[in-house]
Structures are given as C-alpha cells and as structure tokens.
Amino acid sequence: MKTIFSPDQMLHAPRFEVSDGKLEPAKEIPSRAQMVVDRLKDVSFGEIREPDAFSLDPILKVHAADYIEFLSDFWSMWQAEGRTEEEAFPFVWPVRQLRADIVPDQIDGKLGFYSFDAGTPIGPYTWTSVRKSAETALTGAKMISGGEKSAFALCRPPGHHAHHRFFGGYCFVNNAAVAAQYLRDNGAQKVSVLDVDYHHGNGTQALFYDRQDVQFLSIHADPKVEFPYFLGYADESGVGAGEGFNHNYPLPHGTPWDAWSDALNTACSKIEAYGPDVLVVSLGMDTYEKDPISQFKLKTDEFNRIGERLAQLKLPCLFVMEGGYAVEDLGINCVNVLTGFEQG
C-alpha cells in the first residue's frame, strides 16, 4: 500500500483552540502527521509519495466557490484589515433566526459566516496545507481509479467535519468527500464512505445526504454528549433519493472493542448489501483508550482487527486520515489498521 503525503501539510500549525469554554493549547498539530510518517518508515510499510497537483475543479465539485475563495484569500484579507494576531478565531455565527443569506463585508463577519465553531483557527499557512491535504486525498483516489487496490492518503488537516460552505472541527475541505466525488466522476458507479472517527462525520453526511450513489456510514460517540452535537443521530437516514443510504451508529462513552466491533460488523453488512465499487474509509484514530479528547476504550492491538475486518469486504479501499490526538501512539495505531488490512 502506498502512502501519499506532503510536508506542506504541516505548515498549518495552530497554537491554540477554544475548547470546553476556554482557550487551550491546540490538539490538531503538525506532529500528528509526523508521528504517522515516522512509524510508516520505522516498519518499512511502503512507498511514501508526494501528491499530484490538481486544479480546484475537483474541490469545487464538493464545496461552494465563494467558500473556497474565502479560504484561499483569508490571510491577505486579515492583514489588509490591519489585524496582527497570529491566528484568527470566529466568534459569531448566523444561527437560528439570524440571516444566513448575506455574506458580511467585515472580516469577522465573514469568518463567522463560513464556520460553525470557535475551535478551528486559521493562520498564515492554513490554505497551503488545506489544499495540499485535498490533493493528497485526490491522488489516492486517482491511484484507486487507476487500478491500485488500496492507498493511504495521510491527510492533514483532516476533513470530515467540513460542509459545503463552512469549516469547523479542525476541518476546512472535506478530503474524503472530495475523494469520493472524484471516484464517482472517474468510473465508480457507487461509493461507500465509512467513517470510524470518534466524532461523527457531519460534513460528509450533509454533502451526500440526498444522494444514493454515495453511501455514508459513521460509527461515533453519541452526539447527545459529544461534538458535533447537532448531527449524527440514529434516525438520520437520508432524504429524497438518499433515503436509506445514510447510516449512523452512535455509541455511549466508555464503549470497548466488543460493542464497537459489533457496530463495525453491522456497518460492513450494510456495505456488502449496497455493493459499492470502492470503499473510502475516514480513518479517525481517536477511538483509542488514551486519546485526550475522546471517551472510547479501543486498545492498540485492536486497531489491527479493524483493518482485518475491512479487508474482508474485498473492495478497492482508500484510507483518508481524519482525527486522533494521542500523538505518541497515533503512528502505531494508524499503521496497525493499515497492516491489518494488508494482511487480512
């Protein structure tokens, strides 16, 4: 299995985030990716290659043009308004009974319009890393379309919380969704996206919620008690043509392997029944028992078993990196999934 990664993805380097009502040191930091790269090299897992260059067109198949323009131009706009802070945080949003049809002219208004939380700062190199992360996912999708049986897109920043027109949850461009759409546009009639991150992939769900050509399945912490709180419930099954093609498996705090793997088996049965041409896995590693912002109890050796189970589907598979914040163990756990898949 080849890995796709660019060092440019580590240029986005947040210092702080707003979490639990206070300013805290950032958790989505460059060392997350470095730990995975180091582990891949330590075990000689396979080739690590740079992503190909892509135009914005595949990204614009998923995201609104004005939103992508905002992301690409944000730092120059920030500086043009005389702002000197090293990173920017949104603080006001067009919530219920406020207007969401007008993009403000002022930079703080724009920042709130195009976001949904205060935990995702933008810095001077954010767009560079975000675009390269999307190209990493697109390169993996291109490889799968070209006949590779598997690939690992080591995306950072992650993407599964990003919606059509706004960012949040450390995510700006929805890498897995961009990859899934690319696969559809290049021959795959049906694509399944399985999200195994601790947090619900709200952005990916929203992007495909009314479609039957992309099945979405997510195993995650119950949104009644965990971010993103406002999507991810079991009764969300799709709308219109997408009815019946969205599957959520919310689980309680403290979920161990046995209960988590039951949900995985159920999701895999849904995938088999759907019969996709390709599987995209949003590979979040924050289900780990020592993850600092999560409450599941999966152990290091159990991540191999995730890969083994996914291999049983016998589908071309693109792994797209999402969350995971136990930095010292992140590389080991991530490579365990990939190794389990290769050996399965």
Side-chain angles (χ1 to χ4, degrees), residues 115-163:
S115 67
F116 76 90
D117 74 2
T120 310
I122 301 182
Y125 303 108
T126 297
W127 173 246
T128 300
S129 294
V130 166
R131 182 164 184 178
K132 195 63 71 172
S133 187
E135 290 179 336
T136 290
L138 283 165
T139 302
K142 181 179 175 181
M143 290 164 59
I144 297 293
S145 292
E148 296 276 353
K149 294 301 182 185
S150 61
F152 174 40
L154 178 43
C155 292
R156 184 203 170 257
H160 70 150
H161 294 306
H163 284 240

Side-chain angles (χ1 to χ4, degrees), residues 250-315:
L251 299 171
H253 281 177
T255 293
W257 169 255
D258 287 348
W260 194 91
S261 62
D262 284 345
L264 177 62
N265 286 328
T266 300
C268 286
S269 295
K270 292 287 187 182
I271 293 169
E272 289 169 334
Y274 180 64
D277 301 296
V278 183
L279 174 65
V280 175
V281 177
S282 273
L283 187 60
M285 307 306 301
D286 42 3
T287 52
Y288 181 48
E289 62 180 347
K290 296 179 183 178
D291 193 277
I293 64 172
S294 307
Q295 304 291 332
F296 284 176
K297 301 298 179 183
L298 273 63
K299 302 180 184 301
T300 290
D301 61 347
E302 291 165 347
F303 286 98
N304 294 75
R305 297 163 71 179
I306 297 174
E308 292 168 0
R309 181 65 183 90
L310 296 176
Q312 292 174 17
L313 294 171
K314 300 188 183 306
L315 290 167

Side-chain angles (χ1 to χ4, degrees), residues 37-262:
V37 170
D38 290 347
R39 181 62 177 176
L40 289 164
K41 292 178 177 178
D42 287 347
V43 301
S44 302
F45 185 77
E47 178 187 349
I48 302 175
R49 54 156 295 184
E50 291 260 351
D52 296 333
F54 290 81
S55 73
L56 287 176
D57 290 347
I59 295 174
L60 295 175
K61 290 286 189 74
V62 170
H63 292 287
D66 65 311
Y67 168 62
I68 296 303
E69 183 179 13
F70 164 79
L71 290 178
S72 64
D73 294 350
F74 174 78
W75 199 252
S76 61
M77 292 190 292
W78 183 251
Q79 292 180 311
E81 292 214 10
R83 306 298 283 270
T84 59
E85 297 87 353
E86 296 180 11
E87 52 192 1
F89 292 86
F91 64 88
V92 61
W93 298 271
V95 296
R96 292 172 297 279
Q97 299 182 358
L98 298 184
R99 293 188 63 170
D101 61 328
I102 297 175
V103 181
D105 293 334
Q106 201 269 345
I107 192 67
D108 291 301
K110 290 181 184 292
L111 195 56
F113 183 88
Y114 290 115
S115 67
F116 76 90
D117 74 2
T120 310
I122 301 182
Y125 303 108
T126 297
W127 173 246
T128 300
S129 294
V130 166
R131 182 164 184 178
K132 195 63 71 172
S133 187
E135 290 179 336
T136 290
L138 283 165
T139 302
K142 181 179 175 181
M143 290 164 59
I144 297 293
S145 292
E148 296 276 353
K149 294 301 182 185
S150 61
F152 174 40
L154 178 43
C155 292
R156 184 203 170 257
H160 70 150
H161 294 306
H163 284 240
H164 176 65
R165 207 180 178 200
F166 54 87
F167 69 87
Y170 311 149
C171 303
F172 300 91
V173 166
N174 195 311
N175 305 307
V178 168
Q181 185 61 52
Y182 181 93
L183 289 162
R184 280 287 294 111
D185 292 338
N186 286 273
Q189 296 301 304
K190 294 194 292 186
V191 177
S192 290
V193 180
L194 173 63
D195 192 321
V196 297
D197 193 278
Y198 174 78
H199 303 94
H200 178 251
N202 53 291
T204 315
Q205 170 175 305
L207 286 163
F208 298 118
Y209 202 58
D210 60 353
R211 291 172 54 173
Q212 60 184 348
D213 58 329
V214 180
Q215 178 193 47
F216 178 68
L217 314 95
S218 181
I219 307 168
H220 54 271
D222 189 339
K224 285 185 178 180
V225 295
E226 276 292 358
F227 185 93
Y229 301 111
F230 306 112
L231 277 182
Y233 294 89
D235 63 351
E236 297 161 7
S237 58
V239 295
E243 177 64 41
F245 297 99
N246 193 89
H247 307 279
N248 286 327
Y249 305 98
L251 299 171
H253 281 177
T255 293
W257 169 255
D258 287 348
W260 194 91
S261 62
D262 284 345

